[in-house]
Amino acid sequence: MTEPPSPDDARAAYREQVRVFMEESIPFNVFLGIKAVRLEERRAHLLLPFKPQLVGNPLVPALHGGTLSALADTAGGAAVFCAVQPGDSVSTIDLRIDYLRPAAEVDTYAEAEVVRLGGRVGVSRIRVWQAHVPGNESGEVWGLEDPEGRLQIAEATGVYAIKRRAR
């Protein structure tokens, strides 16, 4: 006789469904090339691989702010998806983003964590960052490195509506 999956196994399988949904089912995410690096309970860590088409200002050069906003929103939504039950749906109500420095022409990451999860609304805090590599320093911005040497590009707060599946 086969035992039912443990709650941990069921949650891991659900997070895999979230990964597939975010990477393969949302056409804009597919276009941008967003990948889930790690999905955990109430957390998401995503990668936006650099592509020249993502540059918004070729004179700096810097990635387009809308691209960074899309990455932040996707990470925040993914974190909320990882916190709710299978069959629930999540949609953005509001996204507030602060751009801290120009984003260089390198891979960009977003990490999101759910800070509030209610019956109908979830809130995520999101950090957008890049690795500190030659070429993405900025003389006008100091002190935006975290202890791991990552350069903070933006910080955001996302608010997401949760539609609970009838149980």
Side-chain angles (χ1 to χ4, degrees):
M1 179 186 290
T2 305
E3 292 186 31
S6 75
D8 288 342
D9 290 343
R11 290 304 292 173
Y14 172 63
R15 287 192 301 274
E16 176 60 16
Q17 291 174 356
V18 171
R19 184 199 63 76
V20 169
F21 177 68
M22 291 291 169
E23 289 184 3
E24 300 174 16
S25 299
I26 300 174
F28 192 60
N29 291 356
V30 173
F31 172 76
L32 291 175
I34 293 174
K35 299 293 180 195
V37 174
R38 185 174 59 256
L39 297 174
E40 300 171 358
E41 201 70 21
R42 301 172 67 109
R43 296 175 192 257
H45 181 173
L46 304 183
L47 161 67
L48 174 66
F50 172 72
K51 296 193 281 192
Q53 297 85 351
L54 303 180
V55 172
N57 184 344
L59 301 177
V60 171
L63 299 182
H64 192 282
T67 301
L68 301 173
S69 179
L71 175 63
D73 186 29
T74 302
V80 174
F81 261 114
C82 287
V84 299
Q85 297 299 310
D88 293 348
S89 64
V90 175
S91 59
T92 306
I93 295 173
D94 185 58
L95 181 72
R96 163 83 169 75
I97 188 164
D98 292 314
Y99 299 100
L100 304 174
R101 60 178 287 120
E105 296 177 314
V106 298
D107 291 351
T108 305
Y109 298 87
E111 294 174 333
E113 179 178 6
V114 174
V115 294
R116 180 185 186 284
L117 186 66
R120 297 186 302 174
V121 175
V123 179
S124 290
R125 293 275 160 72
I126 306 131
R127 290 181 2 139
V128 179
W129 59 274
Q130 294 178 323
H132 191 169
V133 296
N136 73 343
E137 300 89 1
S138 175
E140 73 268 4
V141 181
W142 292 278
L144 293 179
E145 292 184 20
D146 67 11
E148 295 160 14
R150 303 177 300 189
L151 297 175
Q152 295 181 51
I153 302 300
E155 294 177 346
T157 300
V159 181
Y160 302 89
I162 301 168
K163 184 174 181 185
R164 302 288 183 172
R165 179 188 70 169
R167 307 238 188 278

